[in-house]
Amino acid sequence: MANVVVVGAQWGDEGKGKIVDWLSERADVIARFQGGHNAGHTLVIDGKVYKLNALPSGVVRGGKLSVIGNGVVLDPWHLVSEIAKIREQGVTITPETLMIAENTPLIMPYHGELDRAREAQVAVGKIGTTGRGIGPCYEDKVGRRVIRVADLADQATLELRVDRALVHHNALRAGLGLEPVDRDALIAALNAIAGEILQYAAPVWKVMNELRRAGKRILFEGAQGSLLDIDFGTYPYVTSSNVIAGQAATGVGLGPNAIDFVLGIVKAYTTRVGEGPFPTELHDADGERLGTRGHEFGTVTGRKRRCGWFDAALVRQTCAISGINGIALTKLDVLDGFETIKICTGYMLDGQALDYLPTAADQQARCTPVYEEIEGWSESTEGARSWADLPGAAIKYVRRVEELIGCPVAMLSTSPERDDTILVTDPFED
Ligand code: IMP
């Protein structure tokens, strides 16, 4: 039985929601392994739109187990309200269908406040975060002062954890001109929500190993995109977790041999939200057109996404780092009607040709894209369900993308509707 990891292979927003939903129908277990409610996953099922942030996409499908792994950072108040909203849409969520790792770090209100206060210090340059406290919570995890799900079960431990965290945070807050945290109010708020969260708490590493041994199909649902990875992304304009496929194992407590297929989600052009380098960004009518046709607005913050041509050099790089076996190419229809389409194949830096994006920030900023031009197509590709439905020039574009990134297309998505998909390889059956 194959277990599949889905990761974004660009800067996030590649259209993972639809692909994950398609795969989750075939899976028994759907697990989130990193990130938090900075993610915005939109699922359209039978015309009904579901918007998820922290919950794994499997929750909207009956009979599946959804897992929030230890690699995630979890805002308990946000989770409770997300569960309430999704229940209002008729979805059933119980401790039998949702499991949260006991060792998952919790996002506190002071994490969000710190995130936003830092972003307001414009003098040192902002990252453009979602302001949801993701980075500060991961910092506390590594700094050994985070409050974890299991800590909610014991009053003495909880108070100790809060006191340890506040020694650090109140000092920081004083420096940023923020009021100290009201310790007793925080503990009361945590006690009030503890029962809601603890009903889902479990030793996820153990359950996942048992499920794997029992031959259950596991889908690891990545959030964000590889270029936002804390190690391999465009640092410091990144998120604070490892988002690449290797994290799937660590983020739930399985060994790396649990992963059989890595599916990279790749948009047929490039977008990015927030600050940071973006070599193929367009500031002209073509960029506007990609944004308008692609509805490129952030689902979490509503920000307009920056848009540009497809960057094959970057995707080649992320395919290598995540060990991507096949890609799901999304939003090809947004390119319909362009007379010519550009693909970035590499960069020029100080007169030298490069086939990858260098690590140093100043070099990234100086890299200029090398483009090749491909003939566009005037026909619509929206809703295509077989190769025969695609114009020849669109097929040529897809084949050229495959060649340049060194990875085959496993799936091609041609609209937000789940059936508008051309399947080449079923990752679970590969
Ligand atoms: P943070 O994850 O809120 O710390 O934000 C860090 C960077 O990651 C910012 O550039 C965000 O715009 C970006 N980011 C975080 N989550 C997502 C996502 O789900 N899609 C796209 N970009 C994201």
Side-chain angles (χ1 to χ4, degrees):
M1 236 14 122
N3 297 324
V4 177
V5 180
V6 170
V7 288
Q10 291 153 315
W11 275 292
D13 311 311
E14 297 92 350
K16 289 184 286 293
K18 168 182 155 173
I19 307 292
V20 164
D21 174 50
W22 191 88
L23 288 168
S24 65
E25 206 180 16
R26 297 164 142 72
D28 302 301
V29 183
I30 296 93
R32 281 280 307 264
F33 56 89
Q34 50 73 227
H37 64 312
N38 49 349
H41 292 169
T42 307
L43 308 178
V44 185
I45 301 172
D46 298 332
K48 219 168 170 178
V49 180
Y50 301 89
K51 288 194 182 290
L52 303 174
N53 298 126
L55 286 168
S57 296
V59 291
V60 298
R61 300 251 162 226
K64 314 282 175 191
L65 175 64
S66 290
V67 172
I68 296 179
N70 54 280
V72 167
V73 284
L74 185 69
D75 181 326
W77 296 280
H78 188 280
L79 183 78
V80 167
S81 80
E82 195 177 323
I83 289 175
K85 268 193 215 137
I86 213 86
R87 276 193 180 133
E88 274 171 27
Q89 290 189 277
V91 173
T92 309
I93 297 178
T94 68
E96 279 68 51
T97 62
L98 176 66
M99 194 179 286
I100 305 174
E102 296 164 325
N103 48 348
T104 304
L106 294 174
I107 300 178
M108 294 293 112
Y110 51 75
H111 289 133
E113 286 160 18
L114 179 58
D115 195 355
R116 294 186 291 274
R118 280 185 184 149
E119 287 286 284
Q121 313 281 307
V122 280
V124 289
K126 54 186 215 150
I127 304 290
T129 72
T130 59
R132 295 197 157 187
I134 307 296
C137 185
Y138 275 118
E139 287 169 35
D140 278 4
K141 171 182 176 172
V142 179
R144 293 162 292 194
R145 58 176 170 266
V146 90
I147 301 161
R148 308 200 298 181
V149 167
D151 299 331
L152 296 173
D154 180 70
Q155 190 62 26
T157 311
L158 182 63
E159 292 194 20
L160 204 68
R161 293 280 184 271
V162 168
D163 288 335
R164 189 181 172 86
L166 293 190
V167 168
H168 176 83
H169 279 277
N170 281 337
L172 257 183
R173 291 168 72 88
L176 288 164
L178 297 170
E179 292 290 311
V181 174
D182 183 338
R183 170 193 188 269
D184 294 342
L186 176 63
I187 291 172
L190 285 167
N191 280 329
I193 206 154
E196 294 253 29
I197 300 297
L198 286 170
Q199 62 177 316
Y200 305 110
V204 157
W205 66 270
K206 187 168 185 297
V207 178
M208 291 296 276
N209 274 276
E210 285 163 3
L211 289 167
R212 186 182 170 224
R213 271 201 300 276
K216 299 293 180 195
R217 282 177 165 186
I218 303 168
L219 176 66
F220 299 89
E221 178 182 6
Q224 290 87 46
S226 307
L227 296 165
L228 292 169
D229 183 84
I230 186 72
D231 287 305
F232 296 102
T234 44
Y235 193 91
Y237 303 100
V238 292
T239 193
S240 294
S241 62
N242 280 116
V243 310
I244 55 177
Q247 171 65 19
T250 320
V252 299
L254 281 167
N257 54 351
I259 299 168
D260 302 297
F261 192 99
V262 181
L263 182 70
I265 315 296
V266 175
K267 187 146 52 180
Y269 51 99
T270 312
T271 63
R272 159 160 221 177
V273 219
E275 309 301 315
F278 181 173
T280 62
E281 183 172 13
L282 294 168
H283 299 282
D284 58 9
D286 285 342
E288 278 296 318
R289 177 167 166 174
L290 290 172
T292 311
R293 296 197 51 157
H295 310 292
E296 297 295 355
F297 293 90
T299 40
V300 173
T301 58
R303 287 178 291 178
K304 198 170 170 184
R305 296 179 185 141
R306 301 155 63 192
C307 297
W309 295 120
F310 185 74
D311 190 334
L314 277 182
V315 175
R316 188 162 60 229
Q317 196 161 326
T318 57
C319 280
I321 290 166
S322 270
I324 291 174
N325 300 97
I327 65 162
L329 191 67
T330 64
K331 298 183 110 170
L332 183 68
D333 54 294
V334 174
L335 297 177
D336 292 353
F338 276 100
E339 214 160 283
T340 52
I341 299 169
K342 288 183 183 170
I343 301 185
C344 169
T345 57
Y347 312 100
M348 289 306 291
L349 175 67
D350 303 334
Q352 279 208 310
L354 280 184
D355 64 356
Y356 70 100
L357 191 69
T359 302
D362 66 304
Q363 294 189 357
Q364 288 184 350
R366 286 204 314 282
C367 273
T368 53
V370 175
Y371 285 118
E372 74 177 36
E373 269 192 17
I374 305 237
E375 189 195 334
W377 54 92
S378 53
E379 304 91 325
S380 167
T381 62
E382 194 182 343
R385 295 185 179 182
S386 76
W387 292 102
D389 294 339
L390 292 177
I395 296 176
K396 257 193 188 161
Y397 182 76
V398 175
R399 294 296 176 223
R400 189 63 187 138
V401 165
E402 286 180 317
E403 262 169 32
L404 287 169
I405 66 172
C407 191
V409 166
M411 297 163 87
L412 193 71
S413 161
T414 55
S415 98
E417 285 300 321
R418 53 185 281 112
D419 293 332
D420 293 342
T421 305
I422 301 173
L423 180 66
V424 182
T425 308
D426 183 340
F428 279 122
E429 302 295 341
D430 194 57

